Amino acid sequence: MKASEIRRKFLDFFAGKGHKMEPSASLIPVDDPTLLWINSGVATLKKYFDGRVKPDNPRIVNSQKSIRTNDIENVGYTARHHTFFEMLGNFSVGDYFKEEAITWAWEFLTDSKWMGLNPDRLSVTIHSEDDEAYRIWKEKIGLPDERIIRLKENFWDIGEGPSGPNTEIFYDRGESLCDPDDPECYPGGENERYLEIWNLVFSQFNHNPDGTYTPLPKKNIDTGMGLERMASVMQDVSTNYDTDLFQPIIQATCDKAGVVYGKDKQTDIALKVIADHARTIVFAVSDGALPSNEGRGYVIRRLLRRAVRYGRKLGIERPFLYKLTSIVTEIMKDYYPEPVKKQAFIERVIKNEEEKFLETLTEGLHILERVIAELKARGKQEISGQEAFKLYDTYGFPVDLTEEIAREQGFSVDHKGFDEEMERQRERARMARQDVDSMQVQGGALSELQVKSEFVGYGQMECETTVA
Ligand code: ATP
Ligand code: MG
Ligand code: MG
Ligand code: MG
């Protein structure tokens, strides 16, 4: 079953249960300073859950584009993590609760009209004290005890506000994927056997400012299922990257680099990272974020530079990432027409950024190799904050890129030292700005010219001039 069909079926299933379909919102949060990116389905619906806005229909279903940068280190290494993914979710704003949420999730997963999964392959976790969820899974659904696992950590809590226990559904990908004696071999443990596909959150308490919990007058349901993970299950492949959402991107990169997917572990990691980051960058730029040195822009820059570095590992020395844009937009176009319309623009943004980074990448890599060789000779294992900062400032190496390369060779980076250098740089910039301000004597158009300097490479400064 193609991913687009899974998405469609999910939306149709819940529409059939009286849910209103909401389109995917932009990845860039609106009126929410607490988030850099939309990172889940519920993130765009907070206004309903905290009571600011009353929805026309208390039942909502969506497929929401999400970005999670906290998973970046997993990308390429685990079968299931991305920086950009889609979360399918059904929501109840003070309407139905646990019983319906669990029963419908089970029906969607196991009924042959929908996903038709083998029920014996599914197990769930619940909060250790959630006897109500236990009873529903056990008596209503008929799951045996050994496949209902009680965990203390199954509690969704982000500080003050609605919170509550959750139940998560796992798909068993096969006994051979973890040793039953391994203490991590259980649903929710660190293993590749039990794949977490769906999280159902029961927000039923208010977390009060004094740290106590009181029942909410209206209880809510918030669920999230990873489309890419569900696609891997439905397509019976071992990782999300082997699904129709990623394979065309991976194939295009293979063709470009003259490598084959599925033969060598390091090559596959590079191909996965590139495919993942390409999707994230295309969608982020399509939603209006641009590479820069701050906030969201810096995330895009970091991802792009990381992808370029992995491209280099595959032997690609010329800009290539921008050419993946049309492949990403093609795969996603039936649900996301927007990136297709903006394709030429997205390509230009990516190509420009790739070209800039490639100018300094080789030189930066040489410097880093030299630093590492010198440290090795001295029996040291930590790259100083100063060196890391020089690589950032002069060669455009985001510190986590330096860190990643360092780690590959058993080295670490002095983070604190790096931050101190960064602070010193900011201080210098502040002083320089004051100098400029004191010289701004001309009036009119000239003082309205904002000159923003941007890193382009060693010994160069490029000025972007815009009229404010
Ligand atoms: P994991 O434990 O695998 O990191 P999670 O518990 O952090 O997942 P949730 O916050 O519960 O994930 O998100 C709901 C669902 O969204 C997950 O069950 C999963 O299917 C999907 N999901 C979460 N994070 C990612 C990611 N980085 N890439 C792809 N899918 C994800
Ligand atoms: Mg996670
Ligand atoms: Mg989890
Ligand atoms: Mg989870």
Side-chain angles (χ1 to χ4, degrees):
M1 191 183 290
K2 287 178 117 187
S4 57
E5 196 181 333
I6 300 172
R7 191 197 292 115
R8 172 65 22 224
K9 285 198 164 181
F10 187 91
L11 298 171
D12 286 348
F13 176 84
F14 283 101
K17 309 280 184 203
H19 291 62
K20 181 180 173 219
M21 276 188 216
E22 288 228 354
S24 184
S26 167
L27 284 162
I28 300 177
V30 180
D31 288 341
D32 188 350
T34 67
L35 279 183
L36 197 54
W37 302 99
I38 292 301
N39 60 3
S40 60
V42 75
T44 64
L45 305 174
K46 269 190 196 165
K47 55 182 188 281
Y48 302 139
F49 284 91
D50 65 17
R52 270 180 296 152
V53 178
K54 194 172 177 306
D56 344 322
N57 183 334
R59 300 181 179 188
I60 298 164
V61 61
N62 67 9
S63 180
Q64 177 60 47
K65 296 174 271 188
S66 304
I67 288 184
R68 287 194 184 180
T69 48
N70 60 311
D71 281 329
I72 191 169
E73 286 182 11
N74 287 324
V75 170
Y77 294 86
T78 69
R80 68 181 197 280
H81 287 103
H82 308 297
T83 54
F84 169 88
F85 63 100
E86 274 177 86
M87 208 186 272
L88 299 164
N90 58 292
F91 305 87
S92 156
V93 185
D95 188 53
Y96 64 83
F97 202 46
K98 286 184 197 179
E99 180 117 10
E100 293 88 336
I102 290 178
T103 314
W104 290 339
W106 189 257
E107 183 186 344
F108 180 72
L109 290 175
T110 57
D111 191 307
S112 59
K113 271 218 323 274
W114 304 100
M115 297 297 106
L117 295 179
N118 176 357
D120 296 341
R121 292 258 196 153
L122 298 174
S123 46
V124 304
T125 57
I126 57 171
H127 182 253
S128 37
E129 284 158 36
D130 194 353
D131 293 331
E132 193 185 353
Y134 172 80
R135 188 188 53 73
I136 300 167
W137 281 120
K138 168 92 181 173
E139 290 167 16
K140 180 125 199 254
I141 305 296
L143 268 191
D145 271 343
E146 65 274 17
R147 286 197 277 131
I148 309 174
I149 292 109
R150 291 178 186 256
L151 296 175
K152 275 203 302 294
E153 57 273 25
N154 272 31
F155 196 85
W156 187 80
D157 197 348
I158 48 162
E160 277 175 47
S163 64
N166 66 335
T167 184
E168 295 196 309
I169 307 175
F170 292 78
Y171 182 77
D172 185 349
R173 297 179 45 230
E175 270 171 33
S176 64
L177 288 167
C178 66
D179 175 354
D181 293 332
D182 177 350
E184 284 296 318
C185 189
Y186 63 92
E190 268 311 313
N191 66 74
E192 298 263 310
R193 173 174 175 182
Y194 298 102
L195 175 66
E196 178 190 325
I197 47 179
W198 204 345
N199 183 2
L200 318 180
V201 179
F202 311 127
S203 67
Q204 65 185 105
F205 299 111
N206 193 51
H207 180 158
N208 301 312
D210 64 1
T212 57
Y213 292 84
T214 41
L216 284 172
K218 288 204 157 199
K219 303 185 196 324
N220 310 301
I221 291 291
D222 145 24
T223 88
M225 177 206 271
L227 173 66
E228 299 75 10
R229 295 186 189 185
M230 199 56 206
S232 79
V233 170
M234 295 306 292
Q235 294 170 21
D236 199 18
V237 290
S238 53
T239 82
N240 295 4
Y241 294 92
D242 295 276
T243 65
D244 65 327
L245 289 168
F246 289 88
Q247 275 302 304
I249 316 174
I250 288 178
Q251 276 315 319
T253 314
C254 282
D255 293 347
K256 178 84 203 162
V259 297
V260 183
Y261 175 68
K263 293 265 180 289
D264 169 68
K265 190 158 178 246
Q266 292 309 318
T267 303
D268 287 357
I269 290 172
L271 290 166
K272 290 172 180 175
V273 169
I274 291 166
D276 174 85
H277 291 6
R279 288 181 3 128
T280 315
I281 297 162
V282 167
F283 272 88
V285 173
S286 175
D287 277 348
L290 288 172
S292 75
N293 272 341
E294 252 156 28
R296 277 186 283 276
Y298 189 56
V299 171
I300 301 179
R301 181 159 279 172
R302 261 168 60 195
L303 291 172
L304 188 137
R305 293 184 175 184
R306 196 161 180 261
V308 168
R309 215 251 316 172
Y310 274 97
R312 167 69 58 112
K313 282 188 170 189
L314 296 178
I316 309 175
E317 311 237 324
R318 309 262 320 136
F320 71 102
L321 212 52
Y322 76 99
K323 291 192 183 144
L324 299 176
T325 308
S326 60
I327 299 166
V328 173
T329 59
E330 177 66 28
I331 298 169
M332 306 292 272
K333 73 177 180 199
D334 58 341
Y335 200 66
Y336 300 102
E338 206 59 21
V340 181
K341 288 189 220 146
K342 295 187 181 159
Q343 191 167 306
F345 171 73
I346 301 170
E347 281 176 355
R348 239 183 0 257
V349 168
I350 299 179
K351 185 159 184 245
N352 186 27
E353 184 72 14
E354 278 189 277
E355 278 168 350
K356 274 200 284 186
F357 184 48
L358 281 167
E359 276 174 28
T360 56
L361 176 64
T362 313
E363 208 172 335
L365 284 173
H366 282 151
I367 304 265
L368 187 51
E369 269 160 30
R370 208 170 60 218
V371 170
I372 289 177
E374 277 166 16
L375 289 173
K376 249 186 209 151
R378 286 192 282 139
K380 297 222 162 112
Q381 295 216 300
E382 189 181 68
I383 294 169
S384 71
Q386 263 175 347
E387 291 289 358
F389 185 74
K390 184 172 164 209
L391 282 160
Y392 163 77
D393 196 37
T394 313
Y395 301 99
F397 278 42
V399 66
D400 50 356
L401 183 63
T402 302
E403 213 156 29
E404 194 171 284
I405 300 171
R407 209 182 322 125
E408 287 167 5
Q409 310 208 34
F411 280 73
S412 61
V413 172
D414 172 13
H415 242 277
K416 199 163 154 275
F418 176 85
D419 291 342
E420 282 162 12
E421 289 297 324
M422 187 71 126
E423 195 37 52
R424 256 176 239 140
Q425 159 99 335
R426 288 210 178 99
E427 192 49 41
R428 281 195 297 272
R430 263 195 295 275
M431 309 260 289
R433 245 191 334 267
Q434 277 167 6
D435 268 5
V436 172
D437 287 348
S438 68
M439 293 191 302
Q440 286 286 6
V441 285
Q442 301 99 323
L446 227 152
S447 65
E448 280 167 25
L449 284 176
Q450 288 191 343
V451 180
K452 204 166 73 197
S453 74
E454 194 169 311
F455 163 82
V456 285
Y458 187 68
Q460 298 172 41
M461 266 313 224
E462 183 188 63
C463 287
E464 270 183 14
T465 312
T466 48
V467 176

